[in-house]
Amino acid sequence: MLDWKKGTSEPTGTVGVSARGARGQVGGFWLGRALAGLLALYLLGALLVGWYWSQEPQLFPVQQSAQAAAEQAQRKLVGGYTTVATLKRVAQTLLDKPGGYLSNDIAPPGLWLDNMPSWEYGVLVQVRDLSRALRKDFARSQSQSTEDANLIKAEQRFNFDNKSWALPASEAEYAEGLKSLERYLKALADPNQQNAQFYTRADNLNSWLGDVATRLGSLSQRLSASVGRVRLNTDLLEGQSAAVGAPLSEEEVKTPWLQIDNVFYEARGQAWALSHILRAIEVDFADVLAKKNATVSVRQIIRELEAAQEPLWSPMVLNGSGYGVLANHSLVMANYISRANAAIIDLRTLLSQG
């Protein structure tokens, strides 16, 4: 039975229940505000960390870096050492840059970022192409010679899925590829080991440059398609030969709006990696390039690729129309890439005929 307070018409038990309910509402309100504050702080921290992780690595001096690495390992800087050491450092940058390797992140803030993973993929494309060229061309004297076992393993590791986060993770596989390159470098610098070789010949260099030209040509087309354009469809119909040809039709080629920045940063990644590799090629193939009068051509290619690394002052990749008010960063990048590609085609001509 409830007792009644004097001078009131309300049971004392009801007052107690109401007070506890009010205190519960106040406590829930402050708890909600605390959780919201913590969430806001987390999002702000993730935003700042994501901005820091999205900073592209700076260019590094190739020859000095290779020389320092050789001295630290107490090795002689033999022919080919600069190229392989540069490939190793370029690949190492994917793992050591701020935030590490981001393409396979499954948690914020890496999960929210797409520009840096696209940059990483661009670098990885050039790493894969050069590791393949090392195995099948640079390290072999002729078509019937044996492939280097360390370079076989390096190519396999670098061609692992770039988005794997489970065991084995992409980073672990790429780290194994770096170890294989290191073993090849050790054998290359050891005069007592004759199995590891690096042949600085014009035909070897020309073969790799053919792959580079194909990559840059594709990039140039994808960058130019940011504004959309109509082109003739020159693809042959199935079953028809090139001599007969196929009916030509027009088709619109346009990069999807959400993919424009991805293509742009992939191009920056490829240009970053390729500029370093070509500087190393200029060192190791100095005699070949001088004999073919091609040194200036290599330096011009490097200049175009390094110009593509200029800082992007806009907070986003702008996609204005060709002659519109706003800039189109993809078209600017396409200009540098296509000019570098044209110079590579001229360089290949010099190497084969000069």
Side-chain angles (χ1 to χ4, degrees), residues 174-186:
Y174 301 154
E176 290 298 321
L178 291 171
K179 292 179 181 178
S180 296
L181 287 181
E182 178 60 25
R183 288 192 293 268
Y184 172 72
L185 279 174
K186 181 180 179 180

Side-chain angles (χ1 to χ4, degrees), residues 278-338:
L278 284 172
R279 284 200 176 277
I281 291 293
E282 184 183 357
V283 174
D284 286 328
F285 288 81
D287 294 340
V288 173
L289 296 174
K291 183 179 179 180
K292 298 289 186 177
N293 295 318
T295 304
V296 175
S297 297
V298 173
R299 291 176 181 174
Q300 181 60 35
I301 298 168
I302 295 172
R303 179 177 297 181
E304 298 294 344
L305 293 172
E306 289 184 347
Q309 303 300 308
E310 291 295 324
L312 182 66
W313 297 108
S314 171
M316 61 182 296
V317 177
L318 297 180
N319 191 48
S321 58
Y323 293 101
V325 176
L326 296 178
N328 188 300
H329 295 141
S330 297
L331 293 183
V332 175
M333 178 66 72
N335 176 60
Y336 291 123
I337 296 297
S338 60

Side-chain angles (χ1 to χ4, degrees), residues 191-208:
N192 297 322
Q193 296 193 37
Q194 299 299 322
N195 292 331
Q197 298 291 334
F198 189 97
Y199 297 95
T200 55
R201 300 199 311 262
D203 60 329
N204 290 346
L205 180 58
N206 206 352
S207 178
W208 170 70

Side-chain angles (χ1 to χ4, degrees), residues 79-88 126-141 146-148 150-152 154-155 158 180-181 184-185 188 197-199 204 207-208 211 277 281 284-285:
Y81 197 98
T82 302
T83 298
V84 181
T86 299
L87 172 63
K88 181 173 177 287
Q126 292 300 327
V127 168
R128 288 171 172 174
D129 285 353
L130 183 55
S131 63
R132 182 177 64 252
L134 283 172
R135 176 190 59 80
K136 72 182 186 69
D137 291 321
F138 292 132
R140 303 175 66 196
S141 60
T146 304
E147 296 177 337
D148 187 273
N150 289 317
L151 294 180
I152 292 175
E155 184 195 10
F158 288 131
S180 296
L181 287 181
Y184 172 72
L185 279 174
L188 184 64
Q197 298 291 334
F198 189 97
Y199 297 95
N204 290 346
S207 178
W208 170 70
D211 293 337
I277 295 171
I281 291 293
D284 286 328
F285 288 81

Side-chain angles (χ1 to χ4, degrees), residues 131 151-161 173-174:
S131 63
L151 294 180
I152 292 175
K153 293 179 181 178
E155 184 195 10
Q156 292 173 345
R157 299 296 188 179
F158 288 131
N159 279 276
F160 187 76
D161 180 16
E173 292 295 300
Y174 301 154

Side-chain angles (χ1 to χ4, degrees), residues 63-115:
Q63 192 168 5
Q64 294 89 326
S65 175
Q67 181 69 47
E71 292 177 355
Q72 183 178 6
Q74 297 181 347
R75 298 170 186 164
K76 185 179 178 181
L77 202 64
V78 298
Y81 197 98
T82 302
T83 298
V84 181
T86 299
L87 172 63
K88 181 173 177 287
R89 176 160 177 181
V90 166
Q92 187 74 54
T93 303
L94 291 174
L95 308 181
D96 293 345
K97 62 180 178 56
Y101 187 72
L102 302 178
S103 295
N104 60 349
D105 280 11
I106 58 174
L111 179 64
W112 300 336
L113 306 178
D114 62 345
N115 292 342

